[in-house]
């Protein structure tokens, strides 16, 4: 790759781009489904024995019932291995996340009328939530904070985290410290599809949860999809995405840096610039190449940009905004003369970043809004992870005899028209004496 490809935005190029992006869907990984199904069945049948077997096979980690659950001593040891300044930053980040999500809290309501009817809604936190945090070479303390803090704000009393240990039997210290800061109740050393199965069905040590949240590799994603319905899940997350919507006022160097912030995630990540300025397009392409040469993950970045990197030049901002709404990107940066005005025309995006000093990593780590976002076009109908994802709602209905008497014949008619005579009878028996 010499420079990012620059393409004129037309209906045809937009159609081709959307088709290309959809190739990254987990629906295209059917060859792994049997492997995942076998792992799930093994964990259901053999519980910890199966999990310990997979830990040795995949992580070269020897687990026993004595070292399977993370202890307080291990958490304290993790803090000792971390820089005090980084611990402070994680605590500040957690505080920002907490404050933002506190504003999302809703309470139940009742509407009592003089005619004897009471309608309402009862909102109840889930009792047990499982949080999956990836392990391996990378550490994801930010993901830990983003998944756990909203659950605590929602009032979930039992938060169970699973994350794989290394060959030495230890979990990444940053992940453990973040879990403690966020308020996780119990942590178990397991990853992959086997962790999802354990959370979904329960084992001798891991309690069955009501919902599973958190990102992972293709095996984790397919396992979450397989257990959905038996438990709830947040989503089946796809590769990371960024779309920058810019006019001639944008700074090319900033745009290039922001595109690469997502391209470095993995080879399937998508980085797209849509601009009305051909000059900006050329300058961003040149800046990208200059940056890539000195970035540590340049091999991943090059493959990501070769496969899913685009610079699209639109005839006008209206066409650019239309394409942004069709793509429905996970992260959308708006770098225009009046970004707040442009934002009012955006219908589909996971998180929207306005202005030159609202770079995407601000949302990943620190600002407070959740970084667990809809991907692969699902921002058209999904929202960021939020407090409501950890709560459930029950409808409340109460009618007095007088209130029901006024409408009972209407309800009976409705039921009879659907051929459900027992439904009609359930209402009718309450007024039998009057009918005689």
């Amino acid at each position: 790759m010499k420079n990012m490809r620059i393409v004129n935005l037309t209906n045809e190029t937009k159609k081709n781009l959307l088709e290309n992006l959809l190739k990254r869907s987990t629906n295209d990984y059917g060859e792994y489904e049997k492997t995942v199904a076998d792992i799930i069945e093994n964990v259901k049948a053999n519980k910890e024995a199966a999990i310990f077997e997979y830990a040795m096979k995949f992580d070269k980690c020897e687990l026993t019932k004595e070292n399977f659950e993370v202890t307080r001593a291990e958490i304290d040891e993790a803090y000792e291995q971390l820089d005090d300044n980084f611990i402070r930053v994680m605590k500040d980040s957690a505080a920002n996340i907490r404050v933002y999500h506190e504003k999302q809290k809703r309470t139940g309501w009742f509407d009592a009328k003089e005619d004897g009817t009471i309608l309402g809604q009862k909102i109840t936190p889930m009792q047990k939530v499982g949080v999956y945090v990836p392990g391996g070479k990378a550490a994801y303390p930010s993901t830990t904070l983003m998944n756990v803090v909203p659950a605590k704000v929602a009032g979930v009393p039992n938060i169970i985290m699973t994350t794989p240990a290394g060959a030495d039997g230890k979990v990444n210290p940053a992940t453990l410290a973040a879990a403690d800061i966020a308020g996780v109740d119990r942590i178990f050393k397991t990853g992959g599809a086997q962790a999802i199965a354990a959370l979904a069905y329960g084992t001798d040590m891991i309690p069955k949860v009501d919902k599973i949240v958190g990102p992972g590799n293709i095996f984790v994603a397919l396992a979450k999809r397989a257990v959905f319905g038996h438990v709830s899940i947040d989503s089946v997350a796809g590769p990371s995405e960024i779309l920058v919507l810019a006019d001639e006022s944008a700074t090319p160097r900033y745009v290039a840096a922001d595109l690469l912030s997502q391209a470095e995630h993995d080879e399937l990540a998508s980085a797209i610039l849509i601009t009305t300025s051909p000059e900006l397009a050329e300058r961003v392409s040149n800046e990208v190449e200059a940056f890539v040469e000195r970035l540590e993950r340049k091999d991943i970045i090059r493959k990501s940009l070769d496969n899913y990197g685009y610079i699209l030049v639109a005839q006008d901002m209206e066409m650019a905004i239309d394409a942004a709404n069709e793509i429905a990107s996970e992260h959308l940066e708006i770098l225009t003369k009046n970004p707040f005005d442009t934002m009012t025309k955006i219908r589909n995006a996971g998180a929207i970043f306005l202005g030159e000093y609202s770079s995407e990593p601000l949302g990943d780590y620190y600002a407070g809004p959740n970084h667990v976002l809809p991907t692969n076009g699902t921002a058209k109908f999904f929202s960021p992870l939020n407090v409501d994802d950890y709560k459930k709602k029950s409808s409340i209905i109460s009618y007095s005899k007088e209130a029901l008497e006024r409408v009972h014949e209407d309800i009976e008619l409705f039921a009879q028209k659907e051929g459900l005579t027992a439904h009609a009878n359930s209402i009718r028996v309450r007024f039998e004496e009057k009918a005689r």
Side-chain angles (χ1 to χ4, degrees), residues 295-329:
L295 291 172
E296 288 182 10
R297 295 167 67 89
K298 62 183 176 184
D299 290 340
I300 291 173
I301 291 172
R302 286 187 185 281
K303 289 178 182 176
S304 167
L305 295 180
D306 283 345
N307 292 324
Y308 303 107
Y310 295 88
I311 295 177
L312 302 173
V313 179
Q315 292 177 2
D316 52 44
M317 188 52 67
E318 183 180 350
M319 177 185 282
I321 291 169
D322 177 68
N325 281 322
E326 280 295 308
I327 294 167
S329 187

Side-chain angles (χ1 to χ4, degrees), residues 29-80:
Y29 291 87
E31 69 266 28
Y32 301 122
E33 287 179 352
K34 185 179 185 311
T35 300
V36 168
D38 289 344
I39 291 172
I40 291 172
E41 289 304 314
N42 191 9
V43 172
K44 283 172 68 176
N46 299 300
K47 299 182 169 46
E48 270 73 21
I51 292 171
F52 298 166
E53 174 190 325
Y54 290 126
M56 180 57 71
K57 178 178 179 181
F58 298 129
D59 304 315
K60 303 295 184 288
C61 175
E62 186 174 350
L63 293 178
T64 66
K65 290 196 174 183
E66 285 68 39
N67 69 358
F68 185 34
E69 183 171 357
V70 172
T71 64
R72 182 69 236 180
E74 288 177 289
I75 294 171
D76 293 340
E77 182 187 350
Y79 276 111
E80 292 171 4

Side-chain angles (χ1 to χ4, degrees), residues 371-384:
H371 81 193
V372 180
L373 302 167
T375 57
N376 226 23
T378 60
K380 291 179 180 178
F381 45 83
F382 282 146
S383 304

Side-chain angles (χ1 to χ4, degrees), residues 326-338:
E326 280 295 308
I327 294 167
S329 187
E330 177 187 20
H331 307 99
L332 172 64
E333 289 189 7
I334 300 179
L335 304 179
T336 58
K337 290 190 189 75
N338 190 339

Side-chain angles (χ1 to χ4, degrees), residues 225-271:
R225 194 168 72 182
V227 301
F228 176 62
H230 185 71
V231 295
S232 178
I233 63 171
D234 51 353
S235 65
V236 178
S240 191
E241 307 162 344
I242 187 170
L243 191 156
V244 179
L245 188 60
D247 59 19
E248 69 282 358
S249 68
T251 303
R253 189 170 177 79
Y254 296 172
V255 175
D258 293 353
L259 291 171
L260 297 178
S261 73
Q262 296 308 292
E264 76 169 343
H265 269 294
D266 64 60
E267 295 169 9
L268 295 175
S270 164

Side-chain angles (χ1 to χ4, degrees), residues 410-429:
D410 293 346
I411 301 167
E412 291 164 27
L413 174 63
F414 218 137
Q416 288 161 358
K417 291 297 183 183
E418 291 193 349
L420 300 175
T421 54
H423 279 62
N425 187 60
S426 173
I427 299 292
R428 188 182 299 113
V429 294

